[in-house]
Amino acid sequence: MPLQGLNFFNLQDLLAKEFPNGIEKAFQNEDKEGCEVIGYLEVNRVPGSFSVSPGKSLQIGFAHIQLNVRTELNLTHTINKFAFGDGFPGFVSPLDGTVRELPPNAVHQYFLKVVPTSFAPLKGEVLSTHQYSVTESSSKAQGLMGGTRPCGVYFHYELSPIRVDYKEHRNTVGEFLTSVCAIVGGVATMSGLVQSGVQAAVSFVKS
């Protein structure tokens, strides 16, 4: 790119080149189209965030510029699947199936607490993955200079210092027999108590 492209005073020229029909025209979404996001991200084990927002990313030399706009685009979304690693039996992903109806020009934020987790099955290798909990908030966008974030859906994640380990366990034959005997003994005891109660009631009525 020519050197003049690095000059922020030529921003209007840059916008005219990227949006020849105008920014407003580019984000009107006259066809009422939506988009589907599928993929994965590799992230470092430090707090971070990522977002889905209307706009365009530009690379000017070594500088990364994100052009965010105030728009009437509807950011209503459905999260079909969202996870930090593979699942295992009993695994719950709180955001799976989440549907949020948002007004135009909205900021919706998810705050994720990610917990490192391991699962050791009866057979096979130990699985290292992550569970997470989530809270969320929604507000109106105020633009780049308004004190809040531009419109979009934001995901902020933070790793917990605590680790959770699961180990799959199967009862032995001895444990199974012990539980069966305990159940049979309990049934027999309750039957004896019921019989004694009935006999006492019958005797009371006859007297």
Side-chain angles (χ1 to χ4, degrees):
M1 175 173 287
L3 185 60
Q4 65 175 2
L6 298 177
N7 190 337
F8 286 98
F9 292 103
N10 293 322
L11 182 58
Q12 290 297 330
D13 295 338
L14 178 62
L15 295 178
K17 179 180 179 181
E18 296 293 335
F19 306 101
N21 296 323
I23 295 180
E24 295 298 329
K25 179 72 173 178
F27 293 98
Q28 283 180 356
N29 194 22
E30 295 176 347
D31 296 329
K32 305 299 181 182
E33 296 177 332
C35 61
E36 183 177 14
V37 180
I38 301 176
Y40 67 92
L41 298 173
E42 293 184 358
V43 298
N44 296 323
R45 295 180 180 271
V46 294
S49 64
F50 59 92
S51 64
V52 178
S53 59
K56 187 169 184 177
S57 298
L58 302 176
Q59 192 72 29
I60 305 178
F62 295 101
H64 177 83
I65 297 178
Q66 177 70 28
L67 297 178
N68 295 93
V69 297
R70 293 180 62 87
T71 174
E72 295 302 312
L73 285 178
N74 191 334
L75 293 175
T76 293
H77 58 278
T78 299
I79 301 177
N80 295 310
K81 182 176 177 59
F82 187 96
F84 289 86
D86 298 325
F88 53 86
F91 175 83
V92 177
S93 182
L95 285 179
D96 287 3
T98 296
V99 179
R100 293 292 179 266
E101 299 282 345
L102 301 179
N105 202 39
V107 175
H108 196 80
Q109 301 185 80
Y110 294 99
F111 302 92
L112 311 168
K113 189 73 171 183
V114 184
V115 181
T117 304
S118 69
F119 175 74
L122 289 174
K123 297 181 180 179
E125 298 180 353
V126 176
L127 173 66
S128 294
T129 183
H130 297 81
Q131 301 179 95
Y132 67 91
S133 60
V134 59
T135 58
E136 55 187 289
S137 68
S138 189
S139 61
K140 191 76 171 178
Q142 299 295 329
L144 292 177
M145 300 299 181
T148 63
R149 296 176 180 274
C151 60
V153 180
Y154 296 81
F155 298 85
H156 310 277
Y157 58 87
E158 180 181 357
L159 269 73
S160 170
I162 300 175
R163 179 185 179 89
V164 178
D165 297 320
Y166 293 98
K167 184 176 181 180
E168 196 171 19
H169 175 72
R170 181 178 297 168
N171 291 340
T172 63
V173 176
E175 291 173 333
F176 173 74
L177 294 177
T178 300
S179 62
V180 171
C181 292
I183 294 173
V184 173
V187 172
T189 301
M190 289 301 298
S191 299
L193 292 174
V194 172
Q195 183 180 6
S196 299
V198 171
Q199 289 177 346
V202 171
S203 299
F204 177 78
V205 171
K206 288 183 177 180
S207 62

